[in-house]
Amino acid sequence: MRILYHSAFCPFSRKIAFGLKEKKLDFEHQWETVGKPSSRLLSLNPWGELPVLVDQHLVCVNHYVSSEYLEDAYPNPVLMGEGNAYRIEVRRLVSWFDKIFYQDVFWKLFYEKILKCQLHHKAPDTRILKSGYALLQEHMEQVEQLTETHHFLAGKYFSWADITGAAHLSCIDYIGDIHWKLFPSAKEWYCKIKSRPAFRPFLNQILSGVEPALHYSQLDF
Amino acid sequence: MRILYHSAFCPFSRKIAFGLKEKKLDFEHQWETVGKPSSRLLSLNPWGELPVLVDQHLVCVNHYVSSEYLEDAYPNPVLMGEGNAYRIEVRRLVSWFDKIFYQDVFWKLFYEKILKCQLHHKAPDTRILKSGYALLQEHMEQVEQLTETHHFLAGKYFSWADITGAAHLSCIDYIGDIHWKLFPSAKEWYCKIKSRPAFRPFLNQILSGVEPALHYSQLDF
């Protein structure tokens, strides 16, 4: 039995759910609410971090442990890349999205606009939003550069870099903040990701009380 | 040619320097100042994060990329553990130190007491220090529990969990904040780490303007 404790609009949860599907590994969903961990989740990870992956008797307490475990335990298809140089580039991009993009964009836009209100009943701070929009623009330029020269983010092959990038970008795309017209190569890459069967379920997820951007679920947008 | 861009009292830098020495890989030191990245460092990693490891033509931009790369490229001695269960436990502990311990203890004690003054000429906030001391106590109880039943942090074998734990704890031990008498098993474990040839160099490092705790460099303390 394989269970993923996760939340639909947590990018780290999306990453592991997407990775599991790419590796064609079935799992049960245990839905959690960001910021309100269940007692079962806390018993598996006292810090209440999402996601937690349980695979038989093995417990992976966060996205880092989970993604590396999935690659160790289920090496086909290879998603961390072949060869040291490719693996370095995949992990560089994974940590860039998980750390820099997350704190600069998810936190300043998705948290500020959506979660801050839902969890703390507070209005967004316009200065933080302004900074978030500027950083999103800057970071999308990075994604554009990568996709201008590469078929996938790390190079020729689909990898955890694409999985992680799509997990983060799709949350921001749900609230309509990405101006895809300015980033044609990034858009082309994201079209390819959206058309992968493993990614489709995320396009049908709905966040209670928040309508998705009109193009969010469209494969060709 | 192998070069490590690092700083003596950055726990992430210590982790990679210690790991390199455990794997008996020679490297040149390029000393950096936390919070004041050199232009060379910024050209390798625009976010100025420490450490950066350059191995021939390969660039690892942070501790996560570096530790996984070292394990991929130089698998002997094995430091990530053998078997999925052990590797999951090693990575769980690595991420616990790098995320939870770092934000709860390094940030609230070492940054607050030392770096805040050195970098920003500001005095420590006593409320933050109080919270840091309480969390250090709580986290040391976790380390004590692990070392009561295990020879090393993740189990029978020395691993990246010990390397990462010692990297973080040694920075806090330098400023004398760990009351080892309260944690006899953790102390015994740390004695073993201190006596490893690869760890010795860290015990001779001095932070300008800050005297180490008297026992800091003693192997039997």
Side-chain angles (χ1 to χ4, degrees), chain B residues 83-132:
Chain B
N84 289 326
Y86 208 91
R87 290 167 76 83
I88 284 174
E89 180 62 358
V90 170
R91 290 192 175 110
R92 178 183 81 83
L93 291 169
V94 164
S95 53
W96 181 74
F97 278 110
D98 284 341
K99 191 168 175 184
I100 310 288
F101 192 91
Y102 177 70
Q103 73 194 18
D104 285 354
V105 180
F106 184 87
W107 204 245
K108 292 186 177 194
L109 296 181
F110 198 94
Y111 171 80
E112 200 62 30
K113 285 184 183 183
I114 312 293
L115 300 179
K116 194 176 175 183
C117 174
Q118 289 190 350
L119 295 172
H120 307 294
H121 308 291
K122 285 186 181 169
D125 180 327
T126 51
R127 285 166 309 179
I128 295 177
L129 293 181
K130 199 177 162 189
S131 158

Side-chain angles (χ1 to χ4, degrees), chain A residues 20-179:
Chain A
L20 281 161
K21 286 172 191 290
E22 283 290 340
K23 286 187 179 278
K24 301 198 183 346
L25 299 169
D26 289 334
F27 61 97
E28 283 179 24
H29 298 264
Q30 190 70 45
W31 294 103
E32 294 279 338
T33 305
V34 171
K36 295 176 183 172
S38 67
S39 53
R40 178 74 183 123
L41 179 74
L42 288 172
S43 74
L44 294 167
N45 181 349
W47 296 276
E49 211 178 336
L50 287 175
V52 168
L53 172 65
V54 179
D55 193 6
Q56 314 301 330
H57 63 290
L58 299 172
V59 179
C60 300
V61 295
N62 58 35
H63 65 98
Y64 159 60
V65 179
S66 301
S67 59
E68 295 289 345
Y69 162 70
L70 289 174
E71 205 62 17
D72 283 348
Y74 306 100
N76 293 312
V78 173
L79 294 178
M80 204 61 84
E82 305 264 19
N84 289 325
Y86 208 90
R87 289 166 76 83
I88 284 174
E89 180 63 358
V90 169
R91 289 191 175 111
R92 178 183 81 84
L93 291 169
V94 164
S95 53
W96 181 74
F97 277 111
D98 284 341
K99 190 168 176 185
I100 311 288
F101 192 91
Y102 177 71
Q103 72 194 14
D104 285 353
V105 179
F106 184 87
W107 203 244
K108 293 188 176 191
L109 296 180
F110 197 94
Y111 171 82
E112 201 61 30
K113 284 186 184 181
I114 311 293
L115 299 179
K116 194 174 176 184
C117 174
Q118 289 190 349
L119 295 171
H120 307 293
H121 308 290
K122 285 187 181 168
D125 180 326
T126 50
R127 283 166 309 178
I128 295 176
L129 293 181
K130 199 176 163 190
S131 157
Y133 288 128
L135 289 162
L136 171 60
Q137 175 78 15
E138 196 180 293
H139 294 337
M140 283 303 297
E141 283 163 14
Q142 297 275 326
V143 178
E144 181 68 5
Q145 272 183 27
L146 290 168
T147 49
E148 271 171 1
T149 47
H150 299 155
H151 197 60
F152 289 110
L153 291 184
K156 274 188 188 171
Y157 309 105
F158 180 80
S159 73
W160 280 105
D162 302 285
I163 291 172
T164 308
H168 284 271
L169 286 170
S170 61
C171 291
I172 305 303
D173 195 41
Y174 186 91
I175 54 174
D177 281 346
I178 302 173
H179 298 298

Side-chain angles (χ1 to χ4, degrees), chain B residues 66-184:
Chain B
S66 301
S67 59
E68 295 289 347
Y69 161 70
L70 289 175
E71 206 60 19
D72 283 349
Y74 306 100
N76 292 313
V78 173
L79 295 178
M80 205 60 87
E82 304 264 19
N84 289 326
Y86 208 91
R87 290 167 76 83
I88 284 174
E89 180 62 358
V90 170
R91 290 192 175 110
R92 178 183 81 83
L93 291 169
V94 164
S95 53
W96 181 74
F97 278 110
D98 284 341
K99 191 168 175 184
I100 310 288
F101 192 91
Y102 177 70
Q103 73 194 18
D104 285 354
V105 180
F106 184 87
W107 204 245
K108 292 186 177 194
L109 296 181
F110 198 94
Y111 171 80
E112 200 62 30
K113 285 184 183 183
I114 312 293
L115 300 179
K116 194 176 175 183
C117 174
Q118 289 190 350
L119 295 172
H120 307 294
H121 308 291
K122 285 186 181 169
D125 180 327
T126 51
R127 285 166 309 179
I128 295 177
L129 293 181
K130 199 177 162 189
S131 158
Y133 288 128
L135 289 162
L136 171 60
Q137 175 76 15
E138 196 180 292
H139 294 337
M140 283 305 295
E141 283 164 14
Q142 298 273 326
V143 178
E144 181 68 5
Q145 272 183 30
L146 290 167
T147 49
E148 272 170 1
T149 49
H150 299 155
H151 197 60
F152 288 111
L153 290 184
K156 275 188 190 173
Y157 309 105
F158 180 81
S159 73
W160 281 103
D162 302 285
I163 292 172
T164 309
H168 284 271
L169 286 170
S170 61
C171 291
I172 306 304
D173 195 40
Y174 186 91
I175 54 173
D177 281 345
I178 302 174
H179 298 297
W180 291 106
K181 279 186 184 166
L182 300 175
F183 310 105

